[in-house]
């Protein structure tokens, strides 16, 4: 089951299949679904009608639509390939070999796609006009997600937990340490990136060297400068409220018998 965005709202659509990922066309007139149990790509109208289907390779895990809306790419985990299709009729273009274990895919603003490979520790760059010659970008760490803006290619890595920002045309990234394992990254306006981790959600601005964050419960964000702790977020917990009210010290966070009682989660 998924909801497709229409201009007047959302239409509910019973897919009767294992939908692993979805992508909306730039014009908003179609939703593309990676159907894992059928090894298929579906094109669905905003009203919920299946307009076209195409066979992918095995275990499709991620789908993306090109910036111009003309092509669709599907990352297939088991054979380690990327399947390319025409967006209009899902006509087949090519199967491209990835760097091993593709897990996420993003459209590049200038055309083509970037695919994060968690086994190969790399990103595969695919040109739809020349799919026979993909480019491999080595990544220091285990990639978990990828996104692209006009100025940067952003690769989130699980080990170590970081966001690696590659300026356009560069193979040398700026690395931003993250407060938890990243699960998703998305490009926002002005070359900013939103990152979801298991500890917090962050909005990172590379140009300003600024990161905004939000968290809930007792997952914490720590800020270190020159090896020293300079900032720590406050827990949403009963113990933190007692500390805020002056009934104890920060040592209670580790020792109080009710330290795990949360006020927000």
């Amino acid at each position: 089951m998924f909801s497709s965005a229409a201009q007047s709202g959302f239409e509910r659509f019973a897919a009767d299949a294992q939908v692993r990922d979805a992508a909306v066309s730039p014009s908003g007139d179609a939703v593309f679904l990676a159907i894992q149990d059928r090894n298929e790509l579906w094109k669905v109208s905003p009203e919920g009608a299946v307009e076209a289907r195409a066979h992918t390779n095995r275990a499709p895990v991620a789908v993306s639509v090109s910036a111009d809306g003309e092509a669709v790419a599907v990352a297939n985990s088991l054979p380690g390939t990327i399947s390319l299709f025409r967006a209009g009729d899902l006509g087949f273009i090519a199967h491209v070999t990835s760097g091993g274990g593709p897990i996420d895919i993003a459209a590049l603003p200038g055309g083509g796609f970037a695919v994060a490979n968690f086994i190969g520790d790399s990103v595969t760059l695919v040109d739809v006009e020349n799919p026979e010659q993909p480019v491999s970008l080595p990544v220091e760490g285990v990639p978990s997600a990828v996104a692209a803006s006009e100025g940067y290619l952003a690769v989130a890595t699980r080990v170590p937990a970081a966001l690696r920002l590659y300026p356009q045309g560069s193979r040398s990234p700026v690395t931003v340490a993250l407060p938890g394992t990243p699960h998703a990254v998305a490009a926002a306006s002005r070359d900013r990136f939103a990152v979801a981790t298991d500890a917090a959600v962050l909005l990172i601005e590379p140009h300003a060297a600024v990161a905004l964050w939000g968290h809930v419960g007792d997952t914490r964000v720590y800020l270190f400068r020159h090896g020293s702790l300079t900032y720590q977020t406050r827990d949403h917990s009963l113990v933190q409220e007692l500390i805020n009210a002056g009934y104890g010290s920060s040592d209670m966070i580790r020792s109080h018998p009710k330290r795990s009682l949360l006020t927000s989660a």
Side-chain angles (χ1 to χ4, degrees):
M1 184 77 72
F2 84 102
S3 295
S4 62
Q7 291 182 351
S8 60
F10 291 86
E11 295 291 335
R12 206 152 175 85
F13 169 71
D16 192 27
Q18 294 179 7
V19 180
R20 180 58 187 266
D21 194 23
V24 181
S25 65
S27 60
D29 62 353
V31 179
F32 297 89
L33 306 179
I35 308 297
Q36 189 169 41
D37 60 331
R38 301 186 186 184
N39 299 324
E40 289 183 341
L41 171 67
W42 291 5
K43 180 181 180 180
V44 182
S45 72
E47 294 74 31
V50 179
E51 298 180 335
R53 304 185 188 206
H55 285 285
T56 65
N57 272 341
R58 289 190 300 155
V61 295
V63 60
S64 182
V65 187
S66 62
D68 61 7
E70 296 296 322
V72 182
V74 180
N76 309 289
S77 64
L78 290 182
T81 61
I82 304 111
S83 299
L84 300 175
F85 302 90
R86 294 189 299 271
D89 60 359
L90 295 192
F92 176 72
I93 298 175
H95 289 312
V96 181
T97 301
S98 76
I103 193 171
D104 195 23
I105 188 168
L108 299 173
F113 298 92
V115 181
N117 305 298
F118 75 94
I119 293 179
D121 293 349
S122 65
V123 169
T124 302
L125 304 177
V126 180
D127 182 355
V128 179
E129 300 299 326
N130 189 21
E132 297 82 8
Q133 296 183 349
V135 176
S136 181
L137 178 67
V139 176
E140 185 179 346
V142 180
S144 60
V146 63
S149 69
E150 290 290 345
Y152 292 89
L153 175 67
V155 183
T157 59
R158 295 177 182 270
V159 184
L163 184 69
R164 304 187 186 279
L165 298 166
Y166 294 82
Q168 187 176 23
S170 174
R171 287 176 170 261
S172 301
V174 175
T175 300
V176 180
L178 298 175
T181 301
H183 299 287
V185 58
S189 61
R190 301 193 300 275
D191 281 336
R192 297 177 299 175
F193 293 93
V195 185
T197 77
D198 54 10
V201 176
L202 300 97
L203 181 64
I204 296 174
E205 299 190 41
H207 296 305
V210 170
L212 307 177
W213 61 78
H215 75 111
V216 293
D218 56 0
T219 58
R220 303 185 190 106
V221 177
Y222 298 90
L223 175 62
F224 289 87
R225 290 192 186 279
H226 307 295
S228 300
L229 177 64
T230 60
Y231 179 81
Q232 173 184 330
T233 54
R234 294 187 178 185
D235 294 351
H236 303 123
S237 66
L238 174 63
V239 171
Q240 185 68 64
E241 290 190 357
L242 292 174
I243 295 171
N244 294 344
Y247 293 107
S249 67
S250 59
D251 294 337
M252 294 169 56
I253 293 176
R254 295 180 179 274
S255 60
H256 197 279
K258 293 187 178 181
R259 60 186 179 276
S260 298
L261 184 59
L262 304 180
T263 57
S264 179

